[in-house]
Amino acid sequence: MDKNTDYDALVIGAGFSGIATLHYFREAGFSTVVVDKEAEVGGTWWVNRYPGVRTDSEYPYYSFSFSKEVREEWNWSERYPTGKEVLEYLKFVVDRLDMRKHMMFNTKVEKAVYNESDKVWEVTLSTGKTLRVSYLVSGMGVLSKPIWPDIPGRETFKGTLLHTAMWPSEGFDLAGKRVGLIGLGSSGLQITPTIAPVVDHLTVFQRTPNFVVDATLSKTTPEELAHVKETYDEIWERAAAHPFGVDMVPAQYSAKEVSEEERDRIFESKWKAGGFHFANECFNDLATDHESAELASEFIRKKIRETVTDPETAELLCPKDYSFNGKRVPTVAGYYDTYNRPNVKLVDVKSTPITEFTEKGVRVGDTEYELDVIICATGFDAMTGNLTKLDIVGRGGKVLREKFAEGLIGGNLGISYNGFPNFLVALGPQTPYSNLPVPIQLGAQWMAEALSYARDNGIDELEATTESEQWWAEEVDRAGKSTVMFEQGKKAKAWFLGDNVPGKPQQFQVYMGGGQVYQDFCRQAKEDNYRSFRAPELVNA
Ligand code: N01
């Protein structure tokens, strides 16, 4: 066996996951290089630069807790930071902690092959170089393979075609343009109120309406920032213990347990609190009971009808085919108000779909809409797309995408796959449905501890056992099916079931059992000396 490695670990991606992994690996004494195809750190926040992009979690738990220096010195300016500010934050973290020297930019990982005899990963880069490393980590993110709409003729359009997840780095001036928007998930919903006042005319092509919770945007104050800094450890602890990774106290009551009047009062107060407070703090069963989810749906439909002055538009905006939580909850400030503007038109493309792109715009039935710019906010091949687009070649020449085609997309705990030794995934398929910085940081810490254990105990290879993969697949399925997300998600064609990508097998792409339950499983694996990550012949060690 010829180890002869360039680094202990290579991490693909310099977003939240790559940065957290580098931090914990460096702390554990592993020489690590982070490789990113883009020109800067940021990952999702680097590529998703569309107007209006911002977090939908509040800043205290949309950040890392691991560095006291960063916590003390960085000051967020808004409750829900803009994408630009998140990017500045990540640059600050990297510079403050002197991480750039471990990073390579403008460099794509082309292929990674496991050399079984030497027990190393040989990673081919776009620079032509091949690096040999003991550990390969994917930090490629969960929503990083954008998809275009399944509509013919895209190349015939003579105007400007944009995708929210591939926004030009130099920006794009939409002032005075006739703009068409396709896609109303979180991306399309955020862009709508931001660009409407700027463009000449905005045509929104809606296939499935969404339940949009109002976000209450505000600036931070020095007093509030000081308080957050003082109490940061408690904030982080509460977020880590919350099923959705947010600093919120889980609600105690079912929506069906209280009187109609009381229910409305609670819905109203959490609607005013804004953002995920509505989804998480009203009642304890909006994600698990269909009737309760429908009560929340009806409250939001009432809000839509009260806000949107044109009754026909209001009815079109009300989701009627599925209930709240059937899609990932979007939180946006002033979305419904936008439809009261004279320069905004909603077009229903559910009853009459967009049939083609034309030279001048798009055709919907017999009508051609002439547009200068078309923005596609049509989402991602979520969770697995980033991993299947790359040749990750494990034992016996098996490629990871072949394994995914067999159905075991989550391996063990979404971290490791049988047949792919020493390949670990940060925020892999079937990890928690959550505010992401929390599982990202906890996951990076877990990986560093697991690899330290292997190093200290002479274990050459960490690799999910086949039994653990089967167990995890069953647990993911069980947990998902005990929520409303399964039935409602199917109706809504949610990405978390893979239903937004034609031909993708329907399967939970995320773990719906809650972040704290997931962390307990990870803790158990550690207490059990990572046995479920050690191939059978090594378990006796
Ligand atoms: O993508 P999506 P997204 N004709 O898949 C429509 C995260 N995120 O980028 O529902 C017409 O949700 C499709 O219609 P339908 C967050 O986790 C977070 O918006 O399939 N429409 C749908 O409306 C989020 O959940 C933030 O009928 C077509 C849209 O495209 C995830 O990313 C911000 C169509 C796709 O929505 C994905 O969000 C942004 C067609 N032919 C994103 N094809 C934060 O706030 C597709 N659509 C932090």
Side-chain angles (χ1 to χ4, degrees):
M1 182 169 85
D2 169 21
K3 267 284 190 186
N4 195 16
T5 51
D6 295 287
Y7 300 92
D8 292 326
L10 183 146
V11 183
I12 314 172
F16 266 92
S17 288
I19 295 169
T21 305
L22 174 58
H23 171 78
Y24 284 107
F25 279 27
R26 194 167 64 166
E27 217 175 40
F30 294 109
S31 64
T32 302
V33 62
V34 177
V35 178
D36 198 297
K37 64 182 184 341
E38 303 294 337
E40 242 305 351
V41 295
T44 199
W45 297 101
W46 175 254
V47 291
N48 286 274
R49 278 171 293 199
Y50 58 85
V53 62
R54 62 171 73 236
T55 69
D56 50 12
S57 294
E58 290 152 306
Y59 70 87
Y61 42 88
Y62 203 87
S63 47
F64 293 125
S65 81
F66 55 62
S67 159
K68 211 162 178 47
E69 299 90 323
V70 170
R71 279 160 52 170
E72 286 301 322
E73 294 168 28
W74 177 261
N75 291 311
W76 292 100
S77 71
E78 292 192 58
R79 182 182 179 196
Y80 298 98
T82 61
K84 195 161 175 255
E85 190 169 18
V86 178
L87 206 48
E88 289 309 314
Y89 167 75
L90 292 176
K91 287 187 206 165
F92 178 79
V93 173
V94 163
D95 290 329
R96 182 64 181 85
L97 303 181
D98 197 17
M99 288 176 152
R100 275 187 199 274
K101 61 186 181 205
H102 306 291
M103 294 179 160
M104 277 183 202
F105 294 104
N106 297 309
T107 307
K108 202 171 164 192
V109 170
E110 303 279 8
K111 190 175 189 170
V113 180
Y114 190 62
N115 178 326
E116 291 180 55
S117 49
D118 290 350
K119 296 190 169 55
V120 294
W121 281 93
E122 291 168 346
V123 185
T124 309
L125 307 178
S126 53
T127 55
K129 207 169 173 177
T130 295
L131 295 177
R132 284 165 61 93
V133 295
S134 299
Y135 305 111
L136 175 67
V137 179
S138 164
M140 289 189 280
V142 295
L143 294 152
S144 37
K145 187 183 174 198
I147 49 177
W148 291 98
D150 198 7
I151 301 169
R154 190 154 38 95
E155 58 297 334
T156 55
F157 177 55
K158 291 269 197 296
T160 304
L161 187 68
L162 299 169
H163 193 296
T164 42
M166 292 179 263
W167 204 259
S169 53
E170 64 284 7
F172 188 86
D173 186 8
L174 293 166
K177 303 270 197 305
R178 295 166 304 167
V179 177
L181 173 67
I182 304 173
L184 288 170
S186 300
S187 307
L189 295 163
Q190 282 187 330
I191 206 169
T192 302
T194 313
I195 65 172
V198 176
V199 301
D200 171 55
H201 192 270
L202 175 63
T203 311
V204 179
F205 298 99
Q206 173 188 275
R207 191 163 67 184
T208 309
N210 226 314
F211 289 102
V212 186
V213 178
D214 206 34
T216 317
L217 304 183
S218 60
K219 298 280 180 203
T220 57
T221 62
E223 297 72 36
E224 181 195 314
L225 287 173
H227 180 68
V228 166
K229 286 176 190 190
E230 262 166 44
T231 57
Y232 197 83
D233 286 331
E234 292 121 75
I235 293 173
W236 177 261
E237 236 173 76
R238 284 192 298 267
H242 189 282
F244 193 64
V246 290
D247 176 16
M248 292 180 197
V249 180
Q252 298 300 311
Y253 301 105
S254 156
K256 297 186 296 190
E257 257 177 77
V258 295
S259 68
E260 195 179 334
E261 204 183 17
E262 177 66 355
R263 190 163 53 234
D264 268 357
R265 191 193 62 73
I266 293 173
F267 274 144
E268 190 64 45
S269 77
K270 296 303 173 189
W271 182 266
K272 288 207 176 95
F276 290 136
H277 292 276
F278 183 83
N280 289 293
E281 289 184 327
C282 287
F283 299 104
N284 63 10
D285 57 353
L286 300 187
T288 51
D289 186 278
H290 290 282
E291 232 178 286
S292 296
E294 189 44 33
L295 289 166
S297 310
E298 206 36 47
F299 177 84
I300 300 177
R301 290 185 196 114
K302 192 175 81 181
K303 285 283 175 201
I304 298 170
R305 291 175 181 126
E306 283 168 7
T307 309
V308 179
T309 48
D310 174 44
E312 213 177 300
T313 306
E315 284 316 303
L316 272 180
L317 286 166
C318 288
K320 294 181 185 131
D321 299 341
Y322 70 99
S323 303
F324 185 67
N325 269 323
K327 278 188 182 286
R328 199 282 209 162
V329 175
T331 80
V332 183
Y335 173 69
Y336 292 117
D337 286 313
T338 307
Y339 292 93
N340 296 330
R341 298 182 61 89
N343 69 332
V344 177
K345 182 178 166 62
L346 184 68
V347 175
D348 171 25
V349 295
K350 182 138 199 148
S351 47
T352 311
I354 303 173
T355 43
E356 59 172 345
F357 287 94
T358 65
E359 279 191 19
K360 293 182 181 165
V362 293
R363 194 180 311 284
V364 179
D366 294 336
T367 312
E368 184 177 27
Y369 289 85
E370 294 194 10
L371 303 161
D372 303 312
V373 180
I374 299 174
I375 300 172
C376 293
T378 40
F380 305 87
D381 180 355
M383 308 308 290
T384 55
N386 51 11
L387 292 162
T388 52
K389 73 182 175 193
L390 189 65
D391 282 343
I392 300 172
V393 186
R395 283 186 203 284
K398 185 157 184 168
V399 185
L400 192 62
R401 79 174 74 84
E402 294 168 353
K403 185 169 178 95
F404 282 8
E406 291 161 12
L408 294 171
I409 62 168
N412 187 10
L413 291 166
I415 300 173
S416 162
Y417 297 90
N418 186 264
F420 296 81
N422 296 338
F423 169 59
L424 303 173
V425 187
L427 219 57
Q430 301 182 337
T431 49
Y433 189 58
S434 170
N435 164 47
L436 295 177
V438 172
I440 286 175
Q441 180 175 317
L442 293 170
Q445 193 173 6
W446 187 96
M447 288 193 290
E449 286 168 359
L451 296 187
S452 302
Y453 178 88
R455 176 188 55 198
D456 300 346
N457 289 279
I459 297 166
D460 286 335
E461 292 176 319
L462 280 184
E463 171 188 358
T465 61
T466 49
E467 294 77 13
S468 69
E469 292 192 311
Q470 207 55 51
W471 160 75
W472 187 237
E474 283 162 21
E475 168 59 17
V476 169
D477 195 55
R478 183 208 61 76
K481 286 182 176 160
S482 63
T483 67
V484 301
M485 277 78 158
F486 184 56
E487 289 303 328
Q488 303 303 331
K490 275 198 294 187
K491 293 185 209 162
K493 293 203 177 312
W495 64 254
F496 55 68
L497 280 172
D499 277 350
N500 64 326
V501 178
K504 191 166 177 172
Q506 188 182 81
Q507 171 177 30
F508 274 102
Q509 304 290 305
V510 287
Y511 180 56
M512 292 290 183
Q516 82 287 40
V517 175
Y518 176 82
Q519 296 308 334
D520 278 345
F521 286 134
C522 291
R523 241 187 316 275
Q524 279 164 26
K526 178 183 167 186
E527 282 163 15
D528 197 27
N529 296 335
Y530 308 98
R531 271 172 195 268
S532 61
F533 291 89
R534 293 159 63 187
E537 64 273 21
L538 298 167
V539 170
N540 299 330

